[in-house]
Amino acid sequence: QVQLVESGGGLVQAGGSLRLSCAASGRIFSSYAIGWFRQAPGKEREFVAATNWNGGNTYYASSVLGRFTISRSNTRNTAYLQMNSLKPEDTAVYYCAADPTFRPPYGLGGATSFGSWGQGTQVTVSS
């Protein structure tokens, strides 16, 4: 399995931006599709975005399409989630996850596709 560590979360005002990073170690990073998920208090973990092994294909939840961008650098073993125009409803713990196969669409239950997870990073958007 690949080990994942998220960073870059924090407190930001509505309309602001943050960039999350997901650093990988262990197995070959470029072998994996990477997904970002989030979980707000009292809510189910929900899919945010995913990218295939080389970043050539991406898939987004409708709630973030046009505001968030997923990318990766296989030379740095790191994936990113650029979040712009943040809203209070984006407040959640954000997790990155790895799956050997890129298999959109990722709807309800999409998290079960991913076998390796990071510990999460908190994003709080104030109004």
Side-chain angles (χ1 to χ4, degrees), residues 61-111:
S62 58
S63 58
V64 306
L65 188 63
R67 300 189 297 124
F68 290 11
T69 302
I70 188 171
S71 62
R72 66 189 295 162
S73 169
N74 287 343
T75 58
R76 295 177 178 170
N77 285 351
T78 303
Y80 306 95
L81 185 68
Q82 177 67 44
M83 305 185 296
N84 299 328
S85 303
L86 282 161
K87 305 175 181 179
E89 51 264 42
D90 294 319
T91 295
V93 177
Y94 283 70
Y95 300 88
C96 66
D99 180 7
T101 305
F102 180 65
R103 43 186 140 187
Y106 296 101
L108 291 175

